[in-house]
């Protein structure tokens, strides 16, 4: 009940702010702004592309965003802009022989990455297949909506899908504004302040990995994760695209942390590491297990490897 | 005195536009009503987001992009008039070509409106521009589309405005200036279709769009719907404004539509054969369109209707007897417009997403907000074109003249 109430307040707050930002009544943005709140509106409006900003500009933007988030969620955020570490190319392994389809990764991801709760956004989709049916390639027999009392279910197996961090990403190629790009450590990111919400990237992604904020994203205050990265899990806006970033806020660090989905997986089906490090676990898997990648015929070269450990 | 001339002329045009009989006011009033409806719906969408539409992550483009695609096709119409008019000097068409170009310009403006209402963050649209934004050229086909559509708009506004400006001053327009523009407008019209087709075509994630026949089919079907729309408009204009439009021009255009539709149907048959005969897993979207997939049949009746319309219209346009009879001619025009609207609209956009890349079937049915906005944009387009015609036809007929220092006053 209390949550509901808070949510309501939050929502109200948001819509008032929106009005201020002029998006509620398009014409309002034509009015000449006076006062402080409006100054920040124009700063947001004219914010440059993330990669075009110099250090000082980035600092100013981060300060403004932290202030914005504070106003919106009444919490202090720490927005990192950690750059890619040299000599890293992140890769992911998913053991299909272990996955039990429990969806803990889905919800851990939602919490870690501040996905909107209402409307509901999930970056990870767990697909269920009937054993013996055709499955890979076009995935036309996949079942996304399964709700058993207990997993794993007899006669089925599971395949979680999320952004495959393609080395040759079609989503990046098609974006008309360069709002999405591949970082030096191989993570494909989105600048939520640059994306115009045309959704061309969603049409281009062969893995259904991209999510759009169809409505104003909503998260209860107490569930917000304030430890965020500019290119990753900071709260998003209505009308922009988002997706998995291999938990860029965690994995970019020395020492880095594992992505939330890797940590939570109860059966250890999820592996993560540096593809450029010959001694990493992910390299061991690629070199020793039966590995495949989804839709390899499209030549997207995912850095997400499915394998069978047993 | 001449510095006041532009103002005086502006008021002459304005007076021409606001003055009209009761039918004119009724028409403009009706359009304004629909525009208002669309605006109200759009404000709602701006406030709550695109969640007001039926689009979701599975089907991330819908009615807006479908209309956009269809209208890019309409914009091509001009070329069908330009070629016979200027290249072959076919006199009857030459007289109406300006109105074709205005229609093309209007269609492009509508295209831009449909793109704008589809954007999640319309206020950031400048990010797509070069220099001020960060245009992803040449990699993104959407960047190409921005260039070719705006270029086409500029050409199709410049030619008629220039010609009519000259006429309004009682002078002949200079072919030296117009000719090169007309020549480039031909490949340019082809390019807007090709680029728009490539926009879909270049996505291997969507097998239905990833067929090489897509761009040629786009052009073929565009050369049916646009001219058909124009034929209807010409007849209306001819009636209302007592304008001399030769029947020969109308029948010639109708004949050309028949050929385009023939090619379109042939290309469709080629696609149909390839998908159904090879019967691979990529058949699914085609199956969804024409026979339904796993109990989902939303588009099936529409697609068959579209096919039926197209074939009927083809026959009507092809036979000289029905082509040169106004009832069957107009029937064929309506059928072609409806047929292509379905085929190049929802029939093209939706099967790209159904089944989705993860095999999911999400049946998309536009919401009222989407429908109102769509109607609003169509009404806005009709209003723009109406206003154009309202002051351009009198100029064209020599009834409205501008005040200018060099030429003598008429009327
Ligand atoms: S999986 Fe999709 S979103 Fe992720 S990099 Fe590849 S194409 Fe882009
Ligand atoms: S939705 Fe955003 S990230 Fe995706 S293509 Fe459009 S501008 Fe680029």
């Amino acid at each position: 009940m209390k949550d509901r109430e808070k949510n309501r307040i939050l929502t109200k707050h948001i819509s008032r702010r929106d009005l201020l930002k002029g998006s509620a009544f398009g014409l309002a943005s034509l009015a000449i702004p006076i006062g402080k709140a409006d100054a920040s509106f124009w700063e947001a409006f004219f914010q440059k592309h993330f990669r075009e900003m110099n250090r000082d500009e980035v600092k100013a933007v981060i300060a403004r965003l932290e202030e914005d988030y504070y106003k919106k969620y009444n919490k202090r955020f720490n927005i990192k802009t950690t750059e890619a570490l040299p000599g890293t190319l992140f890769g992911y392994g998913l053991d299909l022989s272990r996955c039990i389809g429990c969806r803990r990764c889905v919800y851990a991801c939602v919490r870690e990455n501040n996905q909107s709760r209402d409307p509901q956004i999930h970056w990870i989709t767990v697909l269920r297949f009937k054993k013996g049916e055709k499955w890979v390639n076009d995935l036309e027999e996949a079942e996304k909506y399964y709700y058993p009392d207990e997993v794993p279910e007899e006669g089925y197996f599971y395949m979680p899908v999320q952004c495959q961090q393609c080395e040759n990403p079609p989503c990046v190629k098609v974006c008309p504004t360069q709002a999405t790009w591949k970082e030096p450590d191989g993570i494909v990111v989105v600048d939520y302040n640059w994306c115009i919400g045309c959704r061309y990237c969603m049409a281009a992604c062969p893995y259904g990995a991209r999510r759009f904020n169809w409505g104003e994203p909503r998260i209860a205050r107490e569930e917000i994760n304030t430890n965020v990265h500019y290119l990753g899990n900071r709260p998003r806006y209505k009308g922009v695209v988002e997706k998995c970033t291999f938990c860029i806020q965690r994995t970019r660090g020395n020492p880095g942390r594992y992505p939330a989905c890797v940590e939570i997986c109860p059966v250890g089906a999820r592996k993560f590491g540096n593809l450029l490090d010959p001694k990493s676990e992910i390299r061991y898997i690629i070199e020793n297990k039966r590995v495949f990648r989804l839709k390899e015929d499209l030549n997207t070269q995912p850095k997400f490897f499915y394998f069978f450990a047993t | 005195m001449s510095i006041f001339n532009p103002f005086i002329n502006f008021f002459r045009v304005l007076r021409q536009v606001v003055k009209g009989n009761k039918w004119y006011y009724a028409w403009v009033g009706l359009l304004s009503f629909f525009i208002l409806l669309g605006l109200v719906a759009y404000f709602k969408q701006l406030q709550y987001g695109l969640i007001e539409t039926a689009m979701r992550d599975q089907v991330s483009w819908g009615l807006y992009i479908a209309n956009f695609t269809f209208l890019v096709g309409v914009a091509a119409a001009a070329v069908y008039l330009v070629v016979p008019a200027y290249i072959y000097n076919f006199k009857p068409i030459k007289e109406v070509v300006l109105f074709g170009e205005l229609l093309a310009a209007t269609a492009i403006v509508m295209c831009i409106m449909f793109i704008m209402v589809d954007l999640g963050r319309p206020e950031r649209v400048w990010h797509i521009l070069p220099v001020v934004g960060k245009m992803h050229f040449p990699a993104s086909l959407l960047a190409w589309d921005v260039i070719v559509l705006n270029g086409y708009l500029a050409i199709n506004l410049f030619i008629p405005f220039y010609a009519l400006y000259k006429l309004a001053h009682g002078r002949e327009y200079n072919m030296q200036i117009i000719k090169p523009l007309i020549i480039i407008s031909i490949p340019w019209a082809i390019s807007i279709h090709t680029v728009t087709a490539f926009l879909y075509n270049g996505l291997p994630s969507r097998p239905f769009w990833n067929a090489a026949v897509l761009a040629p089919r786009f052009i073929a079907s565009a050369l049916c719907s646009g001219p058909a729309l124009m034929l209807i408009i010409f007849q209306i204009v001819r009636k209302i404004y007592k304008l001399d439009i030769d029947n020969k021009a109308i029948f010639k255009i109708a004949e050309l539509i028949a050929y385009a539709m023939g090619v379109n149907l042939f290309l469709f048959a080629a696609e149909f054969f390839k998908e159904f005969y090879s019967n691979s897993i990529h058949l699914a979207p085609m199956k969804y369109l024409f026979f339904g997939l796993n109990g989902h049949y939303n588009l099936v009746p529409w697609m068959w209707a579209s096919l039926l319309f197209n074939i009927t219209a083809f026959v009507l346009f092809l036979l000289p007897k029905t082509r040169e009879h106004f009832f069957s001619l107009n029937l064929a025009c309506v059928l072609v417009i409806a047929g292509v609207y379905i085929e190049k609209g929802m029939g093209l956009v939706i099967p790209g997403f159904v089944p989705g890349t993860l095999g999911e079937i999400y049946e998309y049915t536009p919401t009222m907000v989407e429908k109102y906005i769509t109607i609003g944009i169509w009404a806005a387009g009709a209003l723009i074109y109406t206003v154009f015609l309202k002051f351009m036809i009198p100029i064209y007929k020599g009834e409205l003249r501008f005040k200018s220092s060099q030429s003598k006053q008429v009327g």
Side-chain angles (χ1 to χ4, degrees):
Chain A
M1 209 59 223
K2 234 180 142 194
D3 271 14
R4 280 282 274 289
E5 183 66 6
K6 275 218 177 88
N7 254 334
R8 206 177 54 77
I9 292 166
L10 202 65
T11 321
K12 215 166 140 199
H13 187 61
I14 291 164
S15 45
R16 194 181 57 83
R17 253 183 61 80
D18 255 358
L19 220 108
L20 261 181
K21 291 187 84 176
S23 53
F25 291 93
L27 289 177
S29 60
L30 294 178
I32 295 161
I34 337 157
K36 225 174 156 210
D38 292 316
S40 124
F41 161 68
W42 285 117
E43 269 165 38
F45 181 81
F46 286 116
Q47 183 180 323
K48 287 203 232 165
H49 186 282
F50 185 70
R51 287 198 289 180
E52 306 255 287
M53 289 189 273
N54 62 32
R55 255 167 220 285
D56 290 337
E57 286 169 327
V58 169
K59 251 200 201 134
V61 163
I62 296 299
R64 174 169 49 79
L65 289 179
E66 285 179 346
E67 195 50 39
D68 279 357
Y69 288 146
Y70 179 70
K71 276 193 214 143
K72 187 161 170 179
Y73 298 101
N74 197 19
K75 273 198 170 178
R76 289 279 165 217
F77 277 71
N78 171 28
I79 308 175
K80 291 185 284 191
T81 53
T82 328
E83 283 170 25
L85 294 171
T88 50
L89 188 67
F90 290 122
Y92 206 106
L94 205 144
D95 185 353
L96 288 173
S97 58
R98 284 221 172 99
C99 176
I100 54 167
C102 67
R103 293 206 188 96
R104 281 197 182 82
C105 52
V106 176
Y107 294 102
C109 173
V110 166
R111 279 190 302 277
E112 167 69 24
N113 289 300
N114 289 323
Q115 269 116 296
S116 170
R117 313 302 206 268
D118 173 33
Q120 190 180 56
I121 292 182
H122 290 169
W123 286 353
I124 305 177
T125 310
V126 184
L127 300 177
R128 186 184 75 174
F129 295 92
K130 215 179 182 110
K131 284 184 181 156
E133 293 285 314
K134 61 180 171 184
W135 57 299
V136 276
N137 223 319
D138 274 9
L139 309 167
E140 69 272 29
E141 305 287 333
E143 179 55 84
K144 180 173 146 191
Y145 308 97
Y146 63 92
Y147 304 101
D149 293 331
E150 232 174 77
V151 285
E153 299 154 278
E154 196 63 47
Y156 293 100
F157 67 95
Y158 307 89
M159 177 165 74
V161 182
Q162 60 210 64
C163 174
Q164 314 275 307
Q165 314 292 354
C166 307
E167 260 306 274
N168 188 9
C171 56
V172 168
K173 187 162 73 181
V174 301
C175 175
T177 62
Q178 308 187 40
T180 184
W181 67 89
K182 193 178 73 184
E183 287 277 285
D185 53 4
I187 302 178
V188 173
V189 294
V190 181
D191 181 347
Y192 313 120
N193 282 61
W194 194 258
C195 169
I196 61 173
C198 68
R199 310 187 297 290
Y200 197 10
C201 54
M202 300 181 78
C205 172
Y207 305 100
R210 293 186 158 247
R211 300 286 175 268
F212 187 68
N213 285 282
W214 298 99
E216 182 72 46
R218 261 174 255 155
I219 312 163
R221 180 177 176 269
E222 55 272 28
E223 286 179 30
I224 291 267
N225 177 7
T226 53
N227 195 2
V228 298
H229 193 285
Y230 181 91
L231 298 172
N233 59 338
R234 69 187 170 101
R236 272 78 66 187
Y237 311 99
K238 179 181 74 186
V240 302
V241 148
E242 57 180 77
K243 64 180 252 318
C244 157
T245 62
F246 276 173
C247 280
I248 197 167
Q249 68 281 5
R250 289 169 161 240
T251 49
R252 265 191 194 173
N254 208 355
R257 290 171 67 198
Y258 277 121
C261 49
V262 172
E263 250 177 37
I264 196 99
C265 182
V267 291
R270 292 173 169 267
K271 309 290 179 197
F272 183 80
N274 182 3
L275 292 169
L276 301 182
D277 174 4
K279 291 198 294 289
S280 67
E281 191 181 11
I282 188 75
R283 278 287 288 273
Y284 177 84
I285 290 165
I286 293 169
E287 281 154 27
N288 295 288
K289 300 290 175 186
R290 291 148 294 159
V291 175
F292 78 96
R293 293 180 290 178
L294 268 187
K295 305 196 187 191
E296 285 204 270
D297 50 332
L298 302 183
N299 197 28
T300 49
Q301 301 172 24
K303 293 190 290 291
F304 199 96
F305 299 85
Y306 292 92
F307 68 102
F308 301 89
T310 52
Chain B
M1 282 304 272
S2 69
I3 52 158
F4 294 116
N5 282 351
F7 299 102
I8 295 168
N9 292 336
F10 176 76
F11 280 110
R12 278 187 189 173
V13 167
L14 197 66
R15 197 178 59 202
Q16 175 60 30
V17 168
V18 297
K19 256 180 31 190
N21 60 17
K22 63 174 192 288
W23 291 111
Y24 178 68
Y25 287 129
W27 171 243
V28 170
L30 184 75
L31 292 179
S32 308
F33 170 74
F34 284 127
I35 292 172
L36 207 68
L37 207 66
L39 275 177
V40 170
Y42 185 54
F43 280 141
K44 188 162 179 218
Q45 183 187 295
L46 272 183
Q47 191 168 1
Y48 297 106
L50 285 159
I51 201 159
E52 291 294 326
T53 72
M55 293 185 272
R56 291 295 178 266
D57 290 336
Q58 297 88 334
V59 176
S60 45
W61 283 338
L63 192 59
Y64 301 147
I65 298 297
N67 275 283
F68 160 78
T69 313
F70 174 77
L71 283 164
V72 173
V74 170
V79 118
Y80 236 29
L81 302 181
V82 165
V83 176
Y86 292 104
I87 310 291
Y88 296 109
N89 231 332
F90 185 66
K91 191 83 183 14
I93 290 189
K94 198 162 182 171
E95 313 209 308
V96 292
V97 71
L98 294 182
F99 304 111
E101 280 158 351
L102 282 177
L103 183 68
T106 310
I108 298 288
V109 171
M110 290 168 73
C111 284
I112 293 171
M113 288 196 263
F114 273 114
I115 291 290
M116 287 304 291
V117 298
D118 190 65
L119 292 183
R121 308 289 316 193
E123 83 282 13
R124 292 183 188 165
V125 67
W126 57 275
H127 292 180
I128 209 172
L129 300 175
V131 190
V132 288
K134 206 162 159 60
M135 176 186 257
H136 199 189
F137 187 82
S140 172
L141 263 303
L142 212 48
W144 282 75
D145 228 8
V146 168
I147 296 172
V148 294
L149 288 181
N150 283 302
Y152 194 67
L153 177 64
I155 294 175
N156 280 293
L157 280 179
F158 181 80
I159 299 176
F161 271 83
Y162 167 77
L164 288 160
Y165 181 82
K166 286 281 171 188
L167 283 177
H169 284 101
R171 278 171 263 159
E172 256 309 304
Y173 50 86
N174 187 352
M175 264 321 258
Q176 226 64 23
I177 296 177
I178 295 245
K179 191 96 185 202
L181 279 175
I182 283 166
I183 303 281
I184 60 165
S185 83
I186 298 165
W188 206 296
I190 301 295
S191 84
I192 63 171
H193 290 91
T194 310
V195 168
T196 306
F198 282 0
L199 202 124
Y200 300 100
N201 201 192
L203 307 178
S205 54
R206 313 284 172 179
F208 183 80
W209 294 338
N210 199 219
V213 76
L214 203 76
R217 249 194 100 188
F218 253 60
I219 294 172
S221 65
L223 295 183
C224 304
S225 54
L229 189 61
M230 204 136 41
L231 286 191
I232 292 183
I233 291 174
F234 283 168
Q235 290 175 57
I236 297 173
V237 166
R238 184 159 75 166
K239 228 192 180 113
I240 296 178
Y241 292 97
K242 314 263 170 323
L243 197 67
D244 244 351
I245 298 179
D246 197 335
N247 274 349
K248 270 200 220 118
I250 291 186
F251 300 147
K252 189 79 198 166
I253 296 171
E255 185 188 338
L256 295 175
I257 297 178
Y259 303 147
M261 186 44 94
V263 174
N264 185 34
L265 287 171
F266 171 72
L267 292 176
F268 168 72
E271 220 178 348
F272 203 79
F273 165 78
K274 180 249 175 188
E275 294 299 353
F276 280 93
Y277 193 81
S278 45
N279 194 19
S280 76
I281 46 172
H282 295 329
L283 174 62
M286 206 47 142
K287 225 168 155 180
Y288 171 70
L289 279 185
F290 287 95
F291 300 100
L293 196 64
N294 302 342
H296 299 276
Y297 301 100
N298 258 5
L299 286 176
V300 175
W302 293 95
M303 293 314 288
W304 285 108
S306 154
L307 192 60
L308 189 74
F309 290 173
N310 285 348
I311 293 173
T312 317
F314 172 61
V315 176
L316 291 178
F317 277 131
L318 195 64
L319 304 176
K321 234 178 145 173
T322 43
R323 177 168 74 220
E324 294 178 5
H325 189 282
F326 277 100
F327 174 75
S328 44
L329 174 79
N330 285 327
L331 177 70
C333 286
V334 172
L335 288 178
V336 155
I337 295 167
V340 173
Y341 184 73
I342 298 169
E343 171 198 305
K344 279 279 111 42
M346 298 278 278
L348 174 97
V349 174
I350 304 306
F353 298 104
V354 181
T357 47
L358 297 184
E360 190 180 344
I361 299 177
Y362 169 82
E363 283 231 271
Y364 164 85
T365 318
T367 61
M368 284 323 276
V369 165
E370 277 172 287
K371 287 177 189 160
Y372 286 147
I373 291 178
T374 301
I375 292 170
I377 295 177
W378 275 94
L383 185 64
I384 293 171
Y385 197 62
T386 304
V387 167
F388 275 159
L389 291 184
K390 189 76 179 35
F391 71 89
M392 289 204 164
I393 287 178
I395 293 175
Y396 181 77
K397 291 209 303 188
E399 289 161 6
L400 181 71
R401 281 287 174 262
F402 283 178
K403 193 176 164 64
S404 80
S405 32
Q406 296 126 16
S407 70
K408 265 206 220 103
Q409 285 283 145
V410 191

